[in-house]
Amino acid sequence: LQAVNTAFAAGVEQSAANSATLVQPEHMRQLLHILRTFVAVSKTCGPCFIDQMTHIFHNLQCYYVSYSAAIFHEIATHGEDISQYAHVKLMRSIKREFLKLIENFVASSEQPEYVSWQCWPLLMGPILEDYCNSIPPVRDAAVLSVLAACVEKLKGHLSGETAVITE
């Protein structure tokens, strides 16, 4: 996992230095591979993945928001048909892997307090906003799976935040 973490950190540094890197196909493919590795490791490690997640969570969230904005911009600029182009499909795949990772993390977490206080508030705003602002063809059903996993796992630890789901 050290090699994957090193590659992830290098990608984050590149993106921070030059935001155009985010939409370069090679960068997106590498990030997708890294996310798929994280998903596989999270399934294998289960609750132990919390240590890894604390290190990568903020950067993952930034990537999700950035790709959501990029997809929105592409569709606003070029129309709905752009969603079928390879670069937009790649961005959507990255977002989908992020959602799978979050769903696995939440479902396997043995620390619902941490998830409900540290992760839930930071995730739900951007994820739900993206879902609501996306046109139907690019809405991802994985958002609903993440919400279901969160509500199921965090039942007793959610209070006013659950109102966000029903809006």
Side-chain angles (χ1 to χ4, degrees):
L1 196 56
Q2 185 174 359
V4 176
N5 284 332
T6 302
F8 183 71
V12 168
E13 285 180 30
Q14 285 178 331
S15 300
N18 181 4
S19 62
T21 304
L22 282 172
V23 293
Q24 292 175 347
E26 186 55 38
H27 178 81
M28 291 191 292
R29 279 191 285 280
Q30 182 180 16
L31 179 58
L32 184 59
H33 176 72
I34 290 168
L35 288 173
R36 286 181 174 156
T37 302
F38 285 154
V39 168
V41 171
S42 72
K43 286 180 182 178
T44 303
C45 292
C48 298
F49 195 73
I50 194 167
D51 293 333
Q52 175 71 18
M53 198 62 151
T54 59
H55 295 314
I56 62 173
F57 182 78
H58 175 72
N59 291 324
L60 289 174
Q61 181 187 7
C62 291
Y63 272 128
Y64 186 87
V65 170
S66 296
Y67 285 114
S68 295
I71 292 168
F72 183 82
H73 175 74
E74 287 288 319
I75 291 171
T77 305
H78 303 288
E80 194 175 307
D81 291 339
I82 195 79
S83 66
Q84 299 305 311
Y85 283 62
H87 70 289
V88 175
K89 285 183 175 183
L90 198 51
M91 288 184 229
R92 292 180 62 209
S93 294
I94 289 169
K95 287 176 39 182
R96 199 170 303 115
E97 288 302 315
F98 167 81
L99 293 169
K100 284 181 192 175
L101 179 60
I102 296 300
E103 183 177 1
N104 290 343
F105 169 68
V106 170
S108 67
S109 176
E110 292 179 351
Q111 297 183 18
E113 298 85 11
Y114 172 80
V115 175
S116 65
W117 289 100
Q118 298 297 319
C119 301
W120 174 266
L122 298 173
L123 282 175
M124 290 306 111
I127 290 174
L128 290 175
E129 183 178 327
D130 176 53
Y131 186 80
C132 290
N133 291 338
S134 294
I135 60 171
V138 295
R139 282 190 186 145
D140 202 326
V143 169
L144 303 176
S145 295
V146 169
L147 291 174
C150 287
V151 170
E152 178 64 29
K153 187 70 175 193
L154 307 175
K155 293 179 214 173
H157 301 281
L158 298 176
S159 56
E161 292 89 1
T162 52
V164 173
I165 296 173
T166 59
E167 289 181 12

